[in-house]
Amino acid sequence: MQQRSDTWVVIPAFNEAPVIGGVIAGVRALFPRVLVVDDASGDDTAALARRAGAYTAVHPLNLGQGAALQTGFDAALARGARYVVTFDADGQHDPADAAAMVDRARREDLAFVLGSRFLDGGGTQVGALKRALLHVGAMAAHARTGMALTDTHNGLRVIRADALAHVHLTQGRMAHASQIVSQLAGCGLPGAEHPVTISYTDYSRAKGQPLLNSVNIVVDLVLGER
């Protein structure tokens, strides 16, 4: 735990009261500093996050996941973070993957490590349509940025402070994923992908996230974020 005390885990959240406590408990077993950015939830997400031991910031208006991440980035950097982890609030990510990514960034002197469900070692089962759309997204990112990534829309990321200083999200909603890739590509610092597992739970499926995320990929490609 001590070796990751320079790391802040930023969790953007919107109406995640049923699961946020468990997600935070899992993350705090490996990371002492967790910040939940509540994007104007209509439930008890923020209160439950604080009860679980997380710091919280609360948007008075719903601004979208990208805006929530930027709030978290600014707060973490202001508090001296060396590394920032982005971590979804719905329980799809594995805290052990995040820890392995931070340890790899430190060991290999990487400015960013991006999670991929498609690299060897990842155990995620992805439907054919979603896989195809994600592949199109990766090809579009390669054409736009020169970064040969396999999974540009994975919410699990580790970004070192010097790279994060180059990230200024203006896409408040899901288009922020492509914007992060573009801005990291432009920072000129070394990075890598890392195999991770995404768990599509009954909870996340009930919220419709896999289909929604597929649609968001298409939207990203149309918008062509910078």
Side-chain angles (χ1 to χ4, degrees), residues 5-172:
S5 61
D6 60 355
T7 302
W8 281 76
V9 179
V10 173
I11 304 177
F14 178 67
N15 290 340
E16 302 287 4
V19 296
I20 193 65
V23 169
I24 292 168
V27 172
R28 290 193 72 236
L30 296 171
F31 297 94
R33 293 181 172 85
V34 179
L35 171 63
V36 172
V37 182
D38 183 343
D39 194 31
S41 294
D43 61 13
D44 294 332
T45 293
L48 292 169
R50 286 190 292 271
R51 189 179 303 169
Y55 299 90
T56 59
V58 179
H59 287 173
L61 298 173
N62 181 260
L63 300 175
Q65 191 176 89
L69 283 173
Q70 189 62 53
T71 294
F73 294 163
D74 292 342
L77 289 176
R79 286 156 180 77
R82 171 69 170 163
Y83 298 95
V84 172
V85 178
T86 68
F87 198 95
D88 287 353
D90 59 8
Q92 293 193 73
H93 292 156
D94 185 345
D97 285 339
M101 290 164 68
V102 171
D103 294 347
R104 181 180 175 188
R106 200 186 306 275
R107 184 175 63 252
E108 299 181 17
D109 194 24
L110 297 172
F112 55 92
V113 180
L114 306 178
S116 173
R117 71 202 92 183
F118 301 123
L119 290 178
D120 291 343
T124 305
Q125 299 297 316
V126 180
L129 175 59
K130 186 174 181 68
R131 181 181 291 271
L133 287 168
L134 289 167
H135 181 62
V136 170
M139 289 191 299
H142 185 214
R144 187 172 63 248
T145 68
M147 291 179 68
L149 302 176
T150 62
D151 191 357
T152 56
H153 287 73
N154 196 310
L156 184 53
R157 314 172 187 89
V158 173
I159 310 175
R160 202 171 63 196
D162 53 346
L164 195 58
H166 293 267
V167 176
H168 305 284
L169 298 180
T170 58
Q171 296 288 346

